[in-house]
């Protein structure tokens, strides 16, 4: 077995992959492909705005894009998947040359240990979107409960972001309505988060705009547009593998299946050994 396959298999065992097949050749059902239903079919809150409350999932059949966001073939421990990038039309993230080189460096087999999720740290916004989520409202806040107990409290009545010196794993999010679309604007990122195991990143100075549009009572179209002139040549937009569907309430056995931390897991030790050997930092035998 090649080093690449061993590393990918180890990462899969960390619980970050669910090996379910999504053919790379099929674009049907991607987040941007569903038609909007009449407004009368959309549940509404007392203020007349769409009621997004509920449990949602945009990755039918399992997680298929925690590894690579762009179109990719199947491999050992990795299922095939079409690109989640809907703009630009070619489905390729428009990295600047230096950023593409860094993304590819992070994707090297020997550098898998650098990925922060295996060290019990936070998922990035684009990465948690692949898992089931719970949406709710509380006062003037839109709340998203995501995997690994990552909860985003998004004020709908605040108009300015936190001071630039404050940096957060999932950034500082503020929301507002544009017609029937919930728009969430996020800045103030911490440098470390990655968008996928494949090394994709947006940098600390990214400006991210998410849009949540109810297509009908049981379907939400989600998109995320990312802009950071220090990393990309132009803004770009991704979506979920399929329109987000309402799912039944999740019980303790179903919600947040990755609840326990993986630090100390034997597969993480394997990744560290591979990393140390590749970078000449392994302990010398006595």
């Amino acid at each position: 077995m090649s080093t690449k396959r061993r590393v990918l298999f180890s990462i899969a065992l960390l619980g970050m992959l669910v090996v379910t097949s999504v053919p790379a050749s099929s674009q049907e059902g991607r987040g941007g492909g569903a038609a909007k239903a009449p407004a009368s079919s959309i549940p509404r809150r007392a203020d007349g705005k769409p009621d997004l409350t509920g449990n949602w999932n945009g990755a039918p059949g399992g997680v298929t894009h925690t590894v690579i966001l762009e179109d990719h073939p199947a491999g050992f421990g990795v299922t095939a998947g079409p690109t989640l990038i809907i703009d630009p039309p070619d489905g390729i993230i428009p990295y600047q040359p230096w950023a593409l080189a860094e993304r590819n460096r992070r994707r090297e087999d020997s550098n898998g240990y650098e990925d922060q999720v295996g060290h019990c740290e936070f998922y990035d916004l684009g990465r948690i979107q692949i898992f089931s989520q719970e949406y709710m409202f509380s006062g003037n806040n839109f709340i998203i409960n995501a995997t690994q107990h990552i909860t985003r409290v998004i004020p709908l009545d605040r108009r300015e972001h936190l001071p630039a010196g404050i940096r957060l794993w999932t950034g500082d999010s503020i929301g507002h309505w544009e017609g029937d679309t919930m728009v969430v604007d996020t800045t103030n990122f911490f440098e470390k988060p990655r968008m996928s195991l494949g090394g994709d990143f947006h940098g600390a100075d990214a400006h991210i705009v998410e849009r949540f549009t109810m297509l009908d009572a049981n379907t939400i179209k989600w998109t995320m547009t990312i802009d950071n002139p220090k990393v990309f040549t132009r803004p770009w937009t991704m979506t979920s593998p399929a329109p987000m569907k309402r799912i039944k309430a999740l019980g303790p056995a179903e919600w947040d299946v990755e609840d326990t931390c993986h630090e100390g897991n034997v597969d993480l030790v394997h990744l560290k050994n591979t990393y140390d050997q590749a970078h000449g930092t392994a302990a010398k035998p006595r």
Side-chain angles (χ1 to χ4, degrees), residues 114-122 124 127 169 192-194:
E114 294 180 358
D115 184 81
Q116 80 276 0
V117 171
H119 297 270
C120 312
E121 296 174 333
F122 268 47
D124 181 81
R127 201 159 169 178
W169 279 96
K192 203 169 181 180
R194 300 186 182 195

Side-chain angles (χ1 to χ4, degrees), residues 43-55:
R44 295 186 179 271
R45 292 169 45 79
D47 61 3
K49 296 300 183 182
D51 190 355
L52 306 177
T53 302
N55 298 285

Side-chain angles (χ1 to χ4, degrees), residues 119-214:
H119 297 270
C120 312
E121 296 174 333
F122 268 47
Y123 284 74
D124 181 81
L125 294 187
R127 201 159 169 178
I128 61 176
Q129 189 64 32
I130 305 304
F131 299 91
S132 297
Q133 298 184 43
E134 179 185 17
Y135 297 163
M136 65 181 70
F137 292 87
S138 177
N140 290 322
N141 299 302
F142 175 50
I143 300 173
I144 300 176
N145 288 323
T147 188
Q148 291 288 307
H149 302 295
I150 297 174
T151 299
R152 302 170 63 194
V153 179
I154 302 164
L156 302 179
D157 55 359
R158 178 156 61 91
R159 294 293 174 260
E160 294 185 1
H161 286 289
L162 296 172
I166 300 176
R167 299 289 174 163
L168 307 169
W169 279 96
T170 55
D172 175 47
S173 296
I174 56 179
H176 68 275
W177 290 99
E178 291 184 2
D180 280 351
T181 296
M182 169 71 74
V183 180
V184 178
D185 188 289
T186 307
T187 60
N188 295 68
F189 289 98
F190 182 45
E191 180 68 37
K192 203 169 181 180
R194 300 186 182 195
M195 301 186 70
S196 69
L197 286 169
D200 290 302
F201 69 102
H202 52 62
D205 295 320
H207 178 196
I208 291 182
V209 177
E210 298 169 87
R211 294 178 180 273
F212 301 77
T213 304
M214 291 200 79

Side-chain angles (χ1 to χ4, degrees), residues 4-5 7-12 16-22 63-68 70-81 197-198:
K4 181 176 182 179
R5 292 188 172 186
V7 171
L8 287 174
F9 182 66
S10 296
I11 295 175
M16 290 180 274
L17 302 176
V18 176
V19 287
T20 54
S21 179
V22 176
V63 180
T64 59
H65 287 81
T66 57
V67 180
I68 296 175
E70 299 167 343
D71 185 85
H72 59 279
F76 190 80
V78 179
T79 53
L197 286 169

Side-chain angles (χ1 to χ4, degrees), residues 206-240:
H207 178 196
I208 291 182
V209 177
E210 298 169 87
R211 294 178 180 273
F212 301 77
T213 304
M214 291 200 79
L215 304 180
D216 57 45
N218 298 305
T219 311
I220 292 176
K221 174 184 176 182
W222 171 84
T223 63
M224 184 168 77
T225 300
I226 302 170
D227 187 19
N228 185 353
K230 295 180 180 179
V231 177
F232 309 109
T233 61
R234 52 161 288 186
W236 57 280
T237 302
M238 65 175 285
T239 189
S240 50

